[in-house]
Amino acid sequence: MIEADEAQWLERAKELDPAALEAIYDRYSPKIYNYIYRRLGHAALAEDLTAQVFLRMLEAIQGDRAWRTSFSGWLYRIAHNLVVDHFRRHSRRTRISLEDAPPLLSSDGDPAEITDQKMAHERVLWALQKLTEDQAQVVVLRFLEGLSISEVSSAMNRSEGAVKALQYRAVVALRHLLSASEEK
């Protein structure tokens, strides 16, 4: 879907056009799912919340409460709000067991290396959960989702300068948390 066509797809989505809804979902759902999964570390929950993002999107565009600047940024903001709501409803887990860690692409490797990778992934998830919500969001959007400063700025409804400062503080805090966890 080309950016110029995006507005047409969204107008058609307001009318519940199945092709438009499918095109929007196919384009954005993998990125939204990855964002939610990286924040929660639970595949089934990420699938459920991804579906809720698109339900809320549909409700909003039908009620003329849609985005103002960046459509993808707006979807990330909806996803972020759902993640925050989930954390508010459920106590935060500080650890993820190895059994619950995301599967590796190949299990045919060296068991020690696979275990090291799972433990490193677990440490990063733990450290992300120790950051503030804004710091964790900027780290996930910038480094795991690969969004630009401008896109993150739109998704977080902050100035680019504020995002850069937040990113700097988040990286420093993350470095400190990860180095402290290695010393244990």
Side-chain angles (χ1 to χ4, degrees), residues 136-165:
Q137 184 180 15
V138 79
V139 166
V140 170
L141 290 174
R142 282 286 291 138
F143 302 114
L144 300 178
E145 293 299 315
L147 298 182
S148 69
I149 293 286
S150 175
E151 292 169 321
V152 174
S153 169
S154 176
M156 294 183 71
N157 200 25
R158 292 176 175 244
S159 71
E160 289 185 17
V163 168
K164 288 177 185 177

mmCIF file of all heavy atoms in Angstrom, residues 136-165:
data_model
loop_
_atom_site.group_PDB
_atom_site.id
_atom_site.type_symbol
_atom_site.label_atom_id
_atom_site.label_comp_id
_atom_site.label_asym_id
_atom_site.label_seq_id
_atom_site.Cartn_x
_atom_site.Cartn_y
_atom_site.Cartn_z
ATOM 1 N N ALA A 136 10.992 2.386 28.008
ATOM 2 C CA ALA A 136 10.830 1.080 27.358
ATOM 3 C C ALA A 136 10.197 1.241 25.979
ATOM 4 O O ALA A 136 10.604 0.589 25.014
ATOM 5 C CB ALA A 136 9.987 0.156 28.237
ATOM 6 N N GLN A 137 9.224 2.129 25.874
ATOM 7 C CA GLN A 137 8.557 2.326 24.594
ATOM 8 C C GLN A 137 9.527 2.870 23.551
ATOM 9 O O GLN A 137 9.552 2.394 22.417
ATOM 10 C CB GLN A 137 7.365 3.276 24.746
ATOM 11 C CG GLN A 137 6.578 3.433 23.460
ATOM 12 C CD GLN A 137 5.392 4.361 23.588
ATOM 13 O OE1 GLN A 137 5.274 5.122 24.533
ATOM 14 N NE2 GLN A 137 4.509 4.296 22.622
ATOM 15 N N VAL A 138 10.347 3.847 23.926
ATOM 16 C CA VAL A 138 11.270 4.410 22.947
ATOM 17 C C VAL A 138 12.322 3.378 22.540
ATOM 18 O O VAL A 138 12.695 3.297 21.364
ATOM 19 C CB VAL A 138 11.910 5.736 23.445
ATOM 20 C CG1 VAL A 138 13.039 5.513 24.412
ATOM 21 C CG2 VAL A 138 12.404 6.559 22.276
ATOM 22 N N VAL A 139 12.804 2.547 23.460
ATOM 23 C CA VAL A 139 13.782 1.509 23.124
ATOM 24 C C VAL A 139 13.172 0.507 22.148
ATOM 25 O O VAL A 139 13.788 0.155 21.135
ATOM 26 C CB VAL A 139 14.308 0.801 24.391
ATOM 27 C CG1 VAL A 139 15.054 -0.477 24.043
ATOM 28 C CG2 VAL A 139 15.196 1.734 25.191
ATOM 29 N N VAL A 140 11.974 0.053 22.433
ATOM 30 C CA VAL A 140 11.333 -0.933 21.558
ATOM 31 C C VAL A 140 11.070 -0.336 20.177
ATOM 32 O O VAL A 140 11.381 -0.952 19.148
ATOM 33 C CB VAL A 140 10.031 -1.470 22.190
ATOM 34 C CG1 VAL A 140 9.237 -2.288 21.194
ATOM 35 C CG2 VAL A 140 10.354 -2.305 23.416
ATOM 36 N N LEU A 141 10.514 0.864 20.137
ATOM 37 C CA LEU A 141 10.199 1.469 18.835
ATOM 38 C C LEU A 141 11.453 1.785 18.019
ATOM 39 O O LEU A 141 11.495 1.530 16.822
ATOM 40 C CB LEU A 141 9.372 2.744 19.031
ATOM 41 C CG LEU A 141 7.946 2.546 19.532
ATOM 42 C CD1 LEU A 141 7.293 3.895 19.817
ATOM 43 C CD2 LEU A 141 7.112 1.749 18.549
ATOM 44 N N ARG A 142 12.481 2.324 18.664
ATOM 45 C CA ARG A 142 13.684 2.708 17.935
ATOM 46 C C ARG A 142 14.547 1.522 17.540
ATOM 47 O O ARG A 142 14.948 1.390 16.395
ATOM 48 C CB ARG A 142 14.544 3.663 18.782
ATOM 49 C CG ARG A 142 14.043 5.072 18.815
ATOM 50 C CD ARG A 142 14.295 5.836 17.528
ATOM 51 N NE ARG A 142 15.725 6.093 17.367
ATOM 52 C CZ ARG A 142 16.367 5.978 16.218
ATOM 53 N NH1 ARG A 142 15.741 5.636 15.135
ATOM 54 N NH2 ARG A 142 17.657 6.230 16.149
ATOM 55 N N PHE A 143 14.848 0.645 18.495
ATOM 56 C CA PHE A 143 15.860 -0.378 18.253
ATOM 57 C C PHE A 143 15.295 -1.732 17.864
ATOM 58 O O PHE A 143 15.948 -2.479 17.147
ATOM 59 C CB PHE A 143 16.769 -0.505 19.477
ATOM 60 C CG PHE A 143 17.440 0.792 19.811
ATOM 61 C CD1 PHE A 143 17.145 1.449 20.987
ATOM 62 C CD2 PHE A 143 18.340 1.380 18.937
ATOM 63 C CE1 PHE A 143 17.752 2.657 21.298
ATOM 64 C CE2 PHE A 143 18.946 2.582 19.231
ATOM 65 C CZ PHE A 143 18.652 3.229 20.419
ATOM 66 N N LEU A 144 14.109 -2.058 18.315
ATOM 67 C CA LEU A 144 13.545 -3.351 17.951
ATOM 68 C C LEU A 144 12.613 -3.237 16.747
ATOM 69 O O LEU A 144 12.586 -4.110 15.896
ATOM 70 C CB LEU A 144 12.819 -3.969 19.149
ATOM 71 C CG LEU A 144 13.705 -4.210 20.377
ATOM 72 C CD1 LEU A 144 12.879 -4.780 21.524
ATOM 73 C CD2 LEU A 144 14.869 -5.117 20.050
ATOM 74 N N GLU A 145 11.857 -2.149 16.674
ATOM 75 C CA GLU A 145 10.966 -1.939 15.534
ATOM 76 C C GLU A 145 11.642 -1.182 14.400
ATOM 77 O O GLU A 145 11.157 -1.176 13.286
ATOM 78 C CB GLU A 145 9.706 -1.195 15.968
ATOM 79 C CG GLU A 145 8.811 -1.981 16.897
ATOM 80 C CD GLU A 145 8.290 -3.259 16.268
ATOM 81 O OE1 GLU A 145 7.845 -3.230 15.103
ATOM 82 O OE2 GLU A 145 8.347 -4.294 16.939
ATOM 83 N N GLY A 146 12.737 -0.489 14.700
ATOM 84 C CA GLY A 146 13.492 0.215 13.667
ATOM 85 C C GLY A 146 12.859 1.502 13.178
ATOM 86 O O GLY A 146 13.135 1.943 12.061
ATOM 87 N N LEU A 147 12.022 2.125 14.001
ATOM 88 C CA LEU A 147 11.389 3.375 13.582
ATOM 89 C C LEU A 147 12.378 4.532 13.695
ATOM 90 O O LEU A 147 13.297 4.507 14.508
ATOM 91 C CB LEU A 147 10.164 3.672 14.445
ATOM 92 C CG LEU A 147 9.010 2.672 14.397
ATOM 93 C CD1 LEU A 147 7.863 3.141 15.280
ATOM 94 C CD2 LEU A 147 8.526 2.446 12.980
ATOM 95 N N SER A 148 12.178 5.550 12.887
ATOM 96 C CA SER A 148 13.019 6.743 12.941
ATOM 97 C C SER A 148 12.616 7.596 14.139
ATOM 98 O O SER A 148 11.547 7.397 14.735
ATOM 99 C CB SER A 148 12.848 7.557 11.658
ATOM 100 O OG SER A 148 11.541 8.116 11.620
ATOM 101 N N ILE A 149 13.446 8.570 14.467
ATOM 102 C CA ILE A 149 13.129 9.501 15.554
ATOM 103 C C ILE A 149 11.800 10.191 15.269
ATOM 104 O O ILE A 149 10.955 10.348 16.152
ATOM 105 C CB ILE A 149 14.261 10.554 15.726
ATOM 106 C CG1 ILE A 149 15.546 9.905 16.233
ATOM 107 C CG2 ILE A 149 13.814 11.698 16.627
ATOM 108 C CD1 ILE A 149 15.527 9.510 17.689
ATOM 109 N N SER A 150 11.595 10.584 14.027
ATOM 110 C CA SER A 150 10.358 11.261 13.633
ATOM 111 C C SER A 150 9.138 10.362 13.846
ATOM 112 O O SER A 150 8.103 10.808 14.355
ATOM 113 C CB SER A 150 10.456 11.689 12.168
ATOM 114 O OG SER A 150 9.246 12.228 11.732
ATOM 115 N N GLU A 151 9.255 9.103 13.458
ATOM 116 C CA GLU A 151 8.137 8.164 13.635
ATOM 117 C C GLU A 151 7.861 7.901 15.108
ATOM 118 O O GLU A 151 6.699 7.830 15.527
ATOM 119 C CB GLU A 151 8.436 6.853 12.905
ATOM 120 C CG GLU A 151 8.442 6.992 11.401
ATOM 121 C CD GLU A 151 8.992 5.760 10.694
ATOM 122 O OE1 GLU A 151 9.973 5.166 11.193
ATOM 123 O OE2 GLU A 151 8.442 5.409 9.632
ATOM 124 N N VAL A 152 8.914 7.767 15.901
ATOM 125 C CA VAL A 152 8.742 7.566 17.340
ATOM 126 C C VAL A 152 8.112 8.806 17.962
ATOM 127 O O VAL A 152 7.227 8.715 18.811
ATOM 128 C CB VAL A 152 10.080 7.217 18.026
ATOM 129 C CG1 VAL A 152 9.923 7.145 19.533
ATOM 130 C CG2 VAL A 152 10.621 5.897 17.487
ATOM 131 N N SER A 153 8.542 9.965 17.513
ATOM 132 C CA SER A 153 7.991 11.224 18.000
ATOM 133 C C SER A 153 6.484 11.271 17.766
ATOM 134 O O SER A 153 5.716 11.640 18.652
ATOM 135 C CB SER A 153 8.682 12.387 17.274
ATOM 136 O OG SER A 153 8.033 13.592 17.525
ATOM 137 N N SER A 154 6.077 10.860 16.598
ATOM 138 C CA SER A 154 4.650 10.832 16.271
ATOM 139 C C SER A 154 3.903 9.794 17.109
ATOM 140 O O SER A 154 2.823 10.059 17.629
ATOM 141 C CB SER A 154 4.468 10.536 14.782
ATOM 142 O OG SER A 154 3.116 10.412 14.467
ATOM 143 N N ALA A 155 4.492 8.614 17.242
ATOM 144 C CA ALA A 155 3.839 7.536 17.996
ATOM 145 C C ALA A 155 3.685 7.885 19.467
ATOM 146 O O ALA A 155 2.705 7.508 20.103
ATOM 147 C CB ALA A 155 4.626 6.234 17.847
ATOM 148 N N MET A 156 4.668 8.613 20.003
ATOM 149 C CA MET A 156 4.649 8.932 21.428
ATOM 150 C C MET A 156 4.069 10.316 21.713
ATOM 151 O O MET A 156 3.954 10.713 22.864
ATOM 152 C CB MET A 156 6.064 8.825 22.005
ATOM 153 C CG MET A 156 6.614 7.411 21.987
ATOM 154 S SD MET A 156 8.249 7.286 22.745
ATOM 155 C CE MET A 156 7.837 7.537 24.471
ATOM 156 N N ASN A 157 3.740 11.044 20.650
ATOM 157 C CA ASN A 157 3.161 12.378 20.789
ATOM 158 C C ASN A 157 4.103 13.305 21.574
ATOM 159 O O ASN A 157 3.680 13.977 22.521
ATOM 160 C CB ASN A 157 1.786 12.312 21.442
ATOM 161 C CG ASN A 157 0.973 13.552 21.168
ATOM 162 O OD1 ASN A 157 1.193 14.228 20.173
ATOM 163 N ND2 ASN A 157 0.042 13.857 22.049
ATOM 164 N N ARG A 158 5.384 13.269 21.188
ATOM 165 C CA ARG A 158 6.419 14.090 21.811
ATOM 166 C C ARG A 158 7.251 14.744 20.720
ATOM 167 O O ARG A 158 7.258 14.282 19.581
ATOM 168 C CB ARG A 158 7.337 13.244 22.684
ATOM 169 C CG ARG A 158 6.658 12.690 23.907
ATOM 170 C CD ARG A 158 7.631 11.797 24.644
ATOM 171 N NE ARG A 158 7.059 11.343 25.879
ATOM 172 C CZ ARG A 158 7.546 11.645 27.078
ATOM 173 N NH1 ARG A 158 8.609 12.390 27.178
ATOM 174 N NH2 ARG A 158 6.983 11.178 28.161
ATOM 175 N N SER A 159 7.988 15.765 21.080
ATOM 176 C CA SER A 159 8.878 16.405 20.118
ATOM 177 C C SER A 159 10.061 15.473 19.831
ATOM 178 O O SER A 159 10.368 14.581 20.625
ATOM 179 C CB SER A 159 9.394 17.737 20.666
ATOM 180 O OG SER A 159 10.313 17.502 21.719
ATOM 181 N N GLU A 160 10.723 15.695 18.703
ATOM 182 C CA GLU A 160 11.880 14.879 18.355
ATOM 183 C C GLU A 160 12.992 15.053 19.380
ATOM 184 O O GLU A 160 13.679 14.101 19.729
ATOM 185 C CB GLU A 160 12.372 15.217 16.941
ATOM 186 C CG GLU A 160 11.420 14.724 15.871
ATOM 187 C CD GLU A 160 11.941 14.932 14.461
ATOM 188 O OE1 GLU A 160 13.164 15.164 14.278
ATOM 189 O OE2 GLU A 160 11.123 14.848 13.530
ATOM 190 N N GLY A 161 13.173 16.268 19.878
ATOM 191 C CA GLY A 161 14.185 16.510 20.900
ATOM 192 C C GLY A 161 13.896 15.739 22.181
ATOM 193 O O GLY A 161 14.801 15.177 22.800
ATOM 194 N N ALA A 162 12.620 15.684 22.557
ATOM 195 C CA ALA A 162 12.239 14.938 23.763
ATOM 196 C C ALA A 162 12.483 13.444 23.568
ATOM 197 O O ALA A 162 12.929 12.760 24.490
ATOM 198 C CB ALA A 162 10.772 15.202 24.102
ATOM 199 N N VAL A 163 12.229 12.948 22.370
ATOM 200 C CA VAL A 163 12.457 11.530 22.077
ATOM 201 C C VAL A 163 13.954 11.226 22.134
ATOM 202 O O VAL A 163 14.366 10.204 22.691
ATOM 203 C CB VAL A 163 11.852 11.125 20.718
ATOM 204 C CG1 VAL A 163 12.333 9.750 20.280
ATOM 205 C CG2 VAL A 163 10.334 11.160 20.784
ATOM 206 N N LYS A 164 14.786 12.113 21.583
ATOM 207 C CA LYS A 164 16.237 11.898 21.619
ATOM 208 C C LYS A 164 16.744 11.871 23.055
ATOM 209 O O LYS A 164 17.561 11.021 23.417
ATOM 210 C CB LYS A 164 16.953 12.983 20.818
ATOM 211 C CG LYS A 164 16.780 12.861 19.321
ATOM 212 C CD LYS A 164 17.454 14.015 18.604
ATOM 213 C CE LYS A 164 17.196 13.966 17.107
ATOM 214 N NZ LYS A 164 17.798 15.130 16.418
ATOM 215 N N ALA A 165 16.263 12.796 23.868
ATOM 216 C CA ALA A 165 16.684 12.841 25.271
ATOM 217 C C ALA A 165 16.207 11.590 26.010
ATOM 218 O O ALA A 165 16.958 10.988 26.786
ATOM 219 C CB ALA A 165 16.144 14.099 25.946
#
